[in-house]
Short mmCIF file of all heavy atoms in Angstrom, two decimals:
data_model
loop_
_atom_site.label_atom_id
_atom_site.label_comp_id
_atom_site.label_asym_id
_atom_site.label_seq_id
_atom_site.Cartn_x
_atom_site.Cartn_y
_atom_site.Cartn_z
N ALA K 17 4.21 9.41 1.66
CA ALA K 17 5.28 9.33 0.66
C ALA K 17 5.42 10.71 0.01
O ALA K 17 4.43 11.37 -0.27
CB ALA K 17 4.96 8.28 -0.39
N GLY K 18 6.61 11.15 -0.20
CA GLY K 18 6.82 12.49 -0.75
C GLY K 18 8.30 12.76 -0.71
O GLY K 18 8.99 12.61 -1.72
N PHE K 31 7.24 -3.76 11.49
CA PHE K 31 7.73 -3.28 12.78
C PHE K 31 7.09 -1.93 13.13
O PHE K 31 6.75 -1.66 14.29
CB PHE K 31 9.25 -3.14 12.68
CG PHE K 31 9.92 -2.80 13.98
CD1 PHE K 31 9.81 -3.64 15.08
CD2 PHE K 31 10.70 -1.64 14.11
CE1 PHE K 31 10.44 -3.34 16.28
CE2 PHE K 31 11.34 -1.34 15.29
CZ PHE K 31 11.20 -2.18 16.39
N ALA K 57 -15.54 23.28 9.30
CA ALA K 57 -16.57 23.98 8.52
C ALA K 57 -17.08 25.20 9.29
O ALA K 57 -17.28 26.27 8.70
CB ALA K 57 -17.72 23.02 8.20
N LEU K 103 -11.63 6.76 3.54
CA LEU K 103 -12.50 7.92 3.28
C LEU K 103 -12.22 8.48 1.89
O LEU K 103 -13.14 8.75 1.11
CB LEU K 103 -12.27 8.99 4.36
CG LEU K 103 -13.13 10.24 4.22
CD1 LEU K 103 -14.60 9.92 4.52
CD2 LEU K 103 -12.65 11.35 5.17
N LEU K 187 -11.50 -1.02 47.70
CA LEU K 187 -12.06 -0.94 46.35
C LEU K 187 -12.79 0.38 46.12
O LEU K 187 -12.80 0.91 45.01
CB LEU K 187 -13.00 -2.13 46.11
CG LEU K 187 -12.31 -3.51 46.19
CD1 LEU K 187 -13.35 -4.63 46.27
CD2 LEU K 187 -11.39 -3.74 44.99
N ALA K 210 0.97 18.91 14.96
CA ALA K 210 2.16 18.06 15.09
C ALA K 210 2.89 18.34 16.40
O ALA K 210 3.30 17.44 17.11
CB ALA K 210 3.10 18.28 13.91
N THR K 218 -8.60 27.76 13.82
CA THR K 218 -9.42 26.65 14.34
C THR K 218 -10.07 27.03 15.66
O THR K 218 -9.68 28.01 16.30
CB THR K 218 -8.54 25.40 14.58
OG1 THR K 218 -7.42 25.78 15.40
CG2 THR K 218 -8.03 24.82 13.28
N ASP K 244 0.75 11.10 30.76
CA ASP K 244 0.59 10.95 32.22
C ASP K 244 -0.67 10.15 32.55
O ASP K 244 -0.69 9.34 33.47
CB ASP K 244 0.44 12.32 32.90
CG ASP K 244 1.73 13.11 32.87
OD1 ASP K 244 2.73 12.62 32.32
OD2 ASP K 244 1.73 14.25 33.40
N THR K 258 -3.50 -5.06 43.11
CA THR K 258 -2.89 -5.35 44.41
C THR K 258 -3.97 -5.77 45.40
O THR K 258 -3.81 -6.74 46.15
CB THR K 258 -2.15 -4.11 44.94
OG1 THR K 258 -1.18 -3.73 43.99
CG2 THR K 258 -1.47 -4.38 46.27
N ILE K 268 -7.68 -18.01 48.83
CA ILE K 268 -6.96 -19.27 48.63
C ILE K 268 -6.67 -19.92 49.98
O ILE K 268 -6.90 -21.12 50.18
CB ILE K 268 -5.66 -19.02 47.83
CG1 ILE K 268 -5.99 -18.55 46.41
CG2 ILE K 268 -4.79 -20.27 47.79
CD1 ILE K 268 -4.87 -17.82 45.70
N SER K 272 -8.43 -23.50 51.88
CA SER K 272 -7.58 -24.68 52.11
C SER K 272 -8.13 -25.50 53.29
O SER K 272 -8.89 -24.99 54.11
CB SER K 272 -6.15 -24.23 52.43
OG SER K 272 -6.11 -23.62 53.70
N VAL K 278 -14.04 -20.70 54.01
CA VAL K 278 -15.01 -20.47 52.93
C VAL K 278 -14.98 -21.65 51.97
O VAL K 278 -14.00 -22.40 51.91
CB VAL K 278 -14.72 -19.18 52.11
CG1 VAL K 278 -14.74 -17.95 52.98
CG2 VAL K 278 -13.44 -19.29 51.33
N ASN K 366 -16.54 -23.22 61.23
CA ASN K 366 -15.08 -23.39 61.18
C ASN K 366 -14.36 -22.11 61.62
O ASN K 366 -13.33 -22.16 62.28
CB ASN K 366 -14.62 -23.77 59.77
CG ASN K 366 -15.17 -25.12 59.35
OD1 ASN K 366 -15.64 -25.88 60.21
ND2 ASN K 366 -15.13 -25.42 58.07
N MET K 367 -14.93 -20.99 61.21
CA MET K 367 -14.34 -19.71 61.63
C MET K 367 -14.39 -19.62 63.15
O MET K 367 -13.42 -19.24 63.81
CB MET K 367 -15.12 -18.54 61.04
CG MET K 367 -15.00 -18.40 59.53
SD MET K 367 -15.99 -17.00 58.99
CE MET K 367 -15.71 -17.08 57.23
N LEU K 385 -8.81 -6.79 83.77
CA LEU K 385 -8.05 -6.44 84.98
C LEU K 385 -7.87 -4.93 85.09
O LEU K 385 -7.92 -4.36 86.18
CB LEU K 385 -6.69 -7.14 84.96
CG LEU K 385 -6.71 -8.66 85.19
CD1 LEU K 385 -5.31 -9.25 85.02
CD2 LEU K 385 -7.27 -9.01 86.57
N THR K 417 -9.92 -22.60 85.90
CA THR K 417 -10.95 -22.36 86.94
C THR K 417 -10.70 -20.99 87.57
O THR K 417 -9.61 -20.42 87.46
CB THR K 417 -10.87 -23.43 88.04
OG1 THR K 417 -9.58 -23.32 88.67
CG2 THR K 417 -11.05 -24.82 87.48
N VAL K 442 -16.24 -9.26 70.75
CA VAL K 442 -16.64 -8.55 69.53
C VAL K 442 -17.62 -7.43 69.87
O VAL K 442 -17.46 -6.28 69.45
CB VAL K 442 -17.27 -9.53 68.50
CG1 VAL K 442 -17.95 -8.78 67.37
CG2 VAL K 442 -16.19 -10.46 67.95
N SER K 455 -20.44 -0.52 64.63
CA SER K 455 -19.47 -0.01 63.66
C SER K 455 -19.63 -0.74 62.32
O SER K 455 -19.61 -0.12 61.26
CB SER K 455 -18.05 -0.18 64.20
OG SER K 455 -17.13 -0.24 63.15
#
Side-chain angles (χ1 to χ4, degrees):
F31 187 60
L103 181 69
L187 298 167
T218 52
D244 291 0
T258 302
I268 294 159
S272 70
V278 301
N366 296 345
M367 292 179 181
L385 289 175
T417 63
V442 168
S455 155

